[in-house]
Amino acid sequence: LFAYGQTSSGKSFSMMGVAGSDLVGIIPRISRLLFAAAAKNVEKTFVVETSYLEIYNEKLRDLLGGSDGKHSEELKIRENKQLGVHVAGLHREIVQSSEDTLAVIDHGFNQRTTAATLYNSESS
């Protein structure tokens, strides 16, 4: 998924919604549906990977790539025949459930660049 827009336009709300309410965002909905569909298909094995990156001031940052404050060296968008369009070197984490996915996303969310603006004091 890719969310782009002006500060305070609702990107985070659209993606995540409000936890524990009826206002569930796109990511939790897709995650639940994905794992429910995989559970119904017992004839196949599925591997689900999650990654999370931020584009801020025209730089790519891996929000899952390190717990020591180092998020990435220099990530680059690449394209090749096998992988299609991808971000070379982006950390990918295998998740087993919707809950795992949301925990990974929550961790990445806390790594985002935030800057106070006239619109929103927690804007990214």
Side-chain angles (χ1 to χ4, degrees), residues 78-89 92:
R78 301 283 187 225
E79 182 175 11
N80 71 36
K81 291 180 182 180
Q82 290 179 339
L83 297 174
V85 177
H86 67 284
V87 178
R92 300 183 309 196

Side-chain angles (χ1 to χ4, degrees), residues 1-74:
L1 294 172
F2 185 80
Y4 177 82
Q6 182 178 350
T7 297
S8 197
S9 63
K11 298 176 297 293
S12 296
F13 179 77
S14 295
M15 292 295 114
M16 295 305 294
V18 178
S21 76
D22 291 339
L23 302 173
V24 179
I26 294 167
I27 292 173
R29 287 175 194 259
I30 289 173
S31 181
R32 267 192 256 128
L33 291 170
L34 177 69
F35 283 102
K40 288 180 184 176
N41 193 337
V42 295
E43 297 174 7
K44 294 184 180 177
T45 301
F46 294 90
V47 176
V48 180
E49 295 178 329
T50 300
S51 57
Y52 197 174
L53 75 94
E54 167 183 71
I55 304 172
Y56 187 78
N57 287 336
E58 299 183 24
K59 295 194 191 271
L60 302 176
R61 288 186 56 227
D62 186 341
L63 298 180
L64 302 178
S67 58
D68 59 358
K70 290 184 175 180
H71 300 291
S72 60
E73 276 69 47
E74 179 111 4

Side-chain angles (χ1 to χ4, degrees), residues 105-123:
I105 296 298
D106 283 344
H107 172 74
F109 187 85
N110 292 327
Q111 303 302 314
R112 296 181 318 151
T113 300
T114 57
T117 67
L118 294 175
Y119 289 108
N120 185 343
S121 64
E122 296 182 8
S123 178

